[in-house]
Amino acid sequence: MSRPRPEGLRVAFRADASIEIGTGHVMRCLTLADALIREGATCLFICRAMPGDLRKAIAQRGHATRPLPAAEALPAQDASGPAHAHWLGVTWTQDARETRAAIGPTPVDWLVVDHYALDGRWEEALRPSCRHLMVIDDLADRTHACDLLLDQNTGRRAQDYAAFLPIDTPVLAGPRYALLRPEFAALRAESLTRRRQPRLGRLLVTMGGIDKDNVTERVLDALDACPLPRDLEITVVLGPQAPWRAQVEARAARMCNATHVRVGVADMARLMTDSDLAIGAAGSTSWERCALGLPSIVLVLAENQRSIAESLHQQEASVAVSSGGEAAACIEHHLQDDTLVPFLQRLSRGGAAIADGEGAARVVRGMVQHG
């Protein structure tokens, strides 16, 4: 059988977003789907109905969606399953059955699964519904039965999956495969050029699309207690499903520094390019900041972000802190010691060396090559 060309691929994605899961899994799948569409593929998203899901956003991006029914009750705990099995809301067998039905009788060329709750058992069950199966993972903590695996995290090596994959399964490892929208590569040169002579005029605060624990407000509290330059402007970014939006907007209105809250940002690359420093979660947005050389102070909001934060800190691509208070103290320290310029330059260089914004194109090439 001849290898399918990019313009002939039919690709299905199985990923969820919710208040608990966050938005990162679906968002990076959307980036890959957009890249595939540009090459002539057709894409379908299969997502379970959950509070805080992104089915409307997926449809607005022009992709077909087939929802899985909302879970009626949590399944019994599966002691042999993944650590995040409860994220699924149903048993893996039910999810596999419903996903097969959503795909329909004709197998897709690729099924891409990005879900910590699913492992090799589910993947084997979906084999009749796809010609090839790709897993997007960050954890290297469970077995997989796939044809291609992507882990875009810094410090990740193919060997980390040796115990979890068939011996001949290719692994795309590291931030050179980070799934970023094309505007990040397009603005990279401009962003890096403006950081040669840095200043602190615009501070960006972004704690992920959901921020279920309202870390954003605690960061603003800490910044308001910090002697920041009076002309510093703060921009806060929230996702459309963020549950604490009203509280954050109220806190922003009381800030000493001018503080703007933006919801559902469509031009994040431009916003990051025009910012001088970011305080953000150590999630998938880390690679966006790196590609643009945006100096960053990062907080760990979920356990799967810890290794990212530590690795970026070790490579001087960002500063890892444990609270908004530590983030504010870091800024205050460099303001008082007059070390702000070399501090920002060092973080910018470190970040820019990690990701270049071309990862999605590399992944598409990998899918075609291995398909």
Side-chain angles (χ1 to χ4, degrees), residues 290 293 312 315-318 344-355:
C290 285
L312 291 174
Q315 297 177 74
E316 295 191 313
S318 65
L344 295 177
Q345 289 174 329
R346 184 172 69 253
L347 294 183
S348 181
R349 287 193 301 268
I354 286 176

Side-chain angles (χ1 to χ4, degrees), residues 285-298:
T285 344
S286 298
W287 317 128
E288 298 175 350
R289 297 188 293 259
C290 285
L292 296 175
L294 174 59
S296 305
I297 300 171
V298 300

Side-chain angles (χ1 to χ4, degrees), residues 215-229:
V215 177
T216 301
E217 187 171 1
R218 296 200 292 275
V219 169
L220 293 181
D221 288 340
L223 290 173
D224 216 19
C226 177
L228 299 173

Side-chain angles (χ1 to χ4, degrees), residues 87-100:
W87 278 12
L88 204 57
V90 299
T91 63
W92 72 265
T93 53
Q94 178 180 338
D95 193 276
R97 189 166 58 250
E98 293 172 346
T99 301
R100 287 196 303 266

